[in-house]
Amino acid sequence: MAKTEEQEIASFGLIGKNISYSFSKAYFNNKFTSMNLVNCSYENFDLSKIEELPALIKKHNTLKGLNVTIPYKEAIIPYLDRLNKKAERIGAVNTIKFTKDGLKGYNTDVYGFKKSFQPFIKKWHSKALILGTGGASKAVAFVLNELGISFKYVSRNPKGDQIGYTELNKKIIRSHNVIINCTPLGTFPDIEAKPNIPYEFLTSNHLLFDLIYNPVKTAFLLSGERKGAIICNGAKMLELQAEKAWRIWNS
């Protein structure tokens, strides 16, 4: 931030539900300390429903930016005045900037996922399964389209061309050697939980990516690792999307 901005109180925060576990608060407050931004702060805003957002914004009049997490990445859109073109195409928002023209929504998950996912891709990684259909999955689908990797959504309640977990079999698992968990299953403290897929059909040709970062190795990733699959969690993605959000707030 510029010197003039350093002197004014600037608060930021995370919108979500049951987010006491979140990495964002500690990450940004540590960042502010390291940058000697003594008038900057970041806090969690745990909303039981998205309708509480206007009152929150009215109460916290020093807000300059917000991050958005489960389950509000899509539900928050009607409360925004404008969308960045990419966020509009994706249909999900995880970063909000307070501007003179109102609230503007962005999606930095796309940047974070692409940068953290690309180094693990091998030439045979051409077809993917996306587990879950929430806001984060939309950013993942956007990136897979950009990379030319075809995909199918897997849902507990499949619609359209989505498939259900009970449909997953050896043929589908073996032909889709990228599997990305976009569900919250396995997040601390419920670390034994994992998506209900037939892990016995995984091979060393598979790449398993979990958007969860706590624990470092979820039950989903551990199941893949036992089969020799390449695995990666969401820690790097989170750092990258957070830094992108910071640049947006200061642009």
Side-chain angles (χ1 to χ4, degrees):
M1 295 180 112
K3 286 187 177 179
T4 54
E5 292 175 302
E6 283 179 23
Q7 293 162 4
E8 99 185 57
I9 294 172
S11 57
F12 305 87
L14 176 69
I15 299 289
K17 191 172 185 178
N18 301 324
I19 52 174
S20 58
Y21 67 87
S22 173
F23 119 121
S24 299
K25 182 177 179 179
Y27 183 86
F28 277 106
N29 283 322
N30 288 338
K31 181 180 181 68
F32 299 153
T33 299
S34 68
M35 296 176 69
N36 198 31
L37 297 176
V38 293
N39 290 326
C40 287
S41 64
Y42 191 106
E43 62 182 294
N44 289 340
F45 298 114
D46 211 312
L47 304 185
S48 60
K49 53 185 180 179
I50 194 62
E51 289 80 6
E52 297 171 8
L53 181 65
L56 171 77
I57 291 172
K58 189 174 181 180
K59 180 181 177 182
H60 297 269
N61 59 10
T62 59
L63 279 169
K64 305 295 181 187
L66 289 168
N67 294 123
V68 186
T69 190
I70 293 172
Y72 300 131
K73 292 184 181 186
E74 296 165 285
I76 202 153
I77 291 175
Y79 293 87
L80 307 178
D81 299 291
R82 289 183 299 151
L83 289 181
N84 161 270
K85 286 181 181 179
K86 190 169 281 191
E88 190 170 13
R89 286 165 61 196
I90 295 162
V93 163
N94 77 315
T95 299
I96 298 168
K97 182 178 181 179
F98 286 61
T99 76
K100 63 181 185 342
D101 299 315
L103 304 180
K104 186 171 182 180
Y106 296 81
N107 191 303
T108 66
D109 279 338
V110 163
Y111 174 80
F113 175 67
K114 188 174 186 179
K115 289 283 187 183
S116 55
F117 174 67
Q118 266 186 304
F120 294 93
I121 301 172
K122 305 297 182 186
K123 59 184 178 182
W124 58 84
H125 290 144
S126 58
K127 295 176 75 176
L129 295 174
I130 300 176
L131 310 182
T133 56
S137 73
K138 291 190 169 185
V140 167
F142 186 89
V143 171
L144 293 179
N145 273 325
E146 284 190 330
L147 297 175
I149 297 173
S150 65
F151 61 87
K152 278 215 171 275
Y153 279 109
V154 184
S155 174
R156 289 176 300 174
N157 302 296
K159 299 172 185 174
D161 61 354
Q162 298 170 0
I163 59 176
Y165 284 91
T166 56
E167 296 175 66
L168 297 176
N169 54 32
K170 183 176 181 179
K171 183 179 179 182
I172 293 173
I173 294 294
R174 290 280 168 89
S175 62
H176 293 76
N177 46 27
V178 177
I179 305 178
I180 302 158
N181 180 33
C182 299
T183 79
L185 286 172
T187 306
F188 179 86
D190 194 13
I191 61 172
E192 299 300 322
K194 61 183 177 181
N196 185 25
I197 69 171
Y199 293 93
E200 64 268 24
F201 302 133
L202 296 176
T203 71
S204 58
N205 285 332
H206 278 85
L207 164 58
L208 268 60
F209 193 105
D210 201 330
L211 269 58
I212 295 169
Y213 57 92
N214 183 11
V216 173
K217 287 185 183 179
T218 57
F220 169 74
L221 292 181
L222 286 169
S223 298
E225 188 176 54
R226 291 186 197 108
K227 292 292 186 176
I230 301 167
I231 64 170
C232 182
N233 69 18
K236 189 66 178 176
M237 173 183 171
L238 272 165
E239 289 180 17
L240 289 164
Q241 66 81 21
E243 288 301 321
K244 182 78 168 177
W246 180 243
R247 292 196 291 274
I248 288 169
W249 294 333
N250 288 284
S251 62

